[in-house]
Every structure is written in C-alpha cells, then in structure tokens.
Amino acid sequence: MHPRRKDGEDAGVVESAARSTALTAVDLAFAEPVRARALASAAVQAAPRDPQTRSMSERALGVAALSLQQLAEGERHLRAAIGIAEEAGLEVRAAEARGSLAYLLVLTGRSAEALEAADRSLPVLTGLSRARVFMLRALVLVELGRFDAALGGF
C-alpha cells in the first residue's frame, strides 16, 4: 500500500500520473518545447521526490532547450537527468538521457564524446529507445565522416 500525502491522495497514484506527464513532456520536447517545459515542471511539482519523474522531466527540459538552440541549458538539464537516474539506479532512464545528450554533443562539435555517450547507452536499451540512440549514433558517425559505419543506423 502506498502512503497517503497530506492532502489525502495516494502517493503511488500521484507518482504514476507525474511519470506519465513527464513522459509526455519528453515525447513533445523537440516539436513543442514550450508545452514540454510546462508539462515537465508540472510533473516535478506533483512528485518532487520521485527520481524517475525528475529524471524524465530534466530530460524533457534538456531536449526542449536543444530544440530552442539553448545548448548550454540543454546540456545542464540532460546531465542532471543522467545524474538523477544513475543515483537512483535507473539505468534505462540514464541511458535514454545519455542518448539525448549524444545528439546535443555532436551539435556542439564534440563528436567523440557524443559517440562515447551513444555507445554507453546502447547496451542498456531495447526497442524504440535503442533504435533512437542507434540512429543518433549514426548521425554522429556521419559528422565524423565515417559514412560506411553510419549506414547501418539508418
């Protein structure tokens, strides 16, 4: 049984709703960065102690900043997402954020660091998350001029 909050709501229900909101923020972050920022902030307000919600929200804020060409801010948020997830033992959430960071790093000319971030993420991920990072890794390889190696990622 989940503990009740002071307002009488079940903490597990609140965390689940906050996680869902944070995940929606991640999904919208690149296409609708302003909306994603609002959703991410709302998610953290609803469940400030839940590391999964906080990590996903930081990732959404990072990708939203990236979308708005605010690369330094985006990097801070993505590194925060990774740190929160790693501290809580959330390997998949850390790997997803690291994959997003890889894309930002290639945009800032740090292709070798981007490739390392992508390579570190891949063993942990499965399904769509893995496919996204694999594609991002291919983009990094293109930036490095390694076209033959990149072909398998597209």
Side-chain angles (χ1 to χ4, degrees):
M1 186 163 167
H2 296 292
R4 293 216 173 263
R5 296 182 346 165
K6 288 181 184 176
D7 60 9
E9 285 193 72
D10 186 319
V13 172
V14 171
E15 282 182 0
S16 179
R19 288 176 186 171
S20 178
T21 300
L23 187 57
T24 299
V26 169
D27 289 342
L28 293 174
F30 205 80
E32 297 183 51
V34 174
R35 184 169 171 218
R37 283 178 164 176
L39 289 171
S41 295
V44 170
Q45 258 186 340
R49 291 189 179 99
D50 178 38
Q52 193 161 183
T53 298
R54 289 177 39 233
S55 178
M56 287 189 293
S57 294
E58 286 289 346
R59 180 174 172 223
L61 291 168
V63 174
L66 167 65
S67 174
L68 297 169
Q69 301 299 309
Q70 299 167 345
L71 301 182
E73 178 184 339
E75 184 172 353
R76 280 192 306 276
H77 283 295
L78 291 170
R79 289 193 187 278
I82 293 165
I84 291 164
E86 286 180 338
E87 186 176 302
L90 301 169
E91 291 182 357
V92 171
R93 295 297 180 210
E96 290 170 341
R98 200 173 284 109
S100 297
L101 179 63
Y103 182 62
L104 183 144
L105 291 170
V106 78
L107 293 178
T108 61
R110 295 179 279 170
S111 298
E113 192 179 346
L115 189 58
E116 179 186 340
D119 285 345
R120 194 168 163 205
S121 294
L122 285 171
V124 177
L125 299 174
T126 60
L128 183 57
S129 294
R130 181 178 170 82
R132 283 180 181 155
V133 173
F134 200 71
M135 185 269 308
L136 290 172
R137 183 182 186 281
L139 291 174
V140 172
L141 290 168
V142 167
E143 287 296 316
L144 291 170
R146 296 171 52 191
F147 304 110
D148 288 341
L151 282 177
F154 293 112

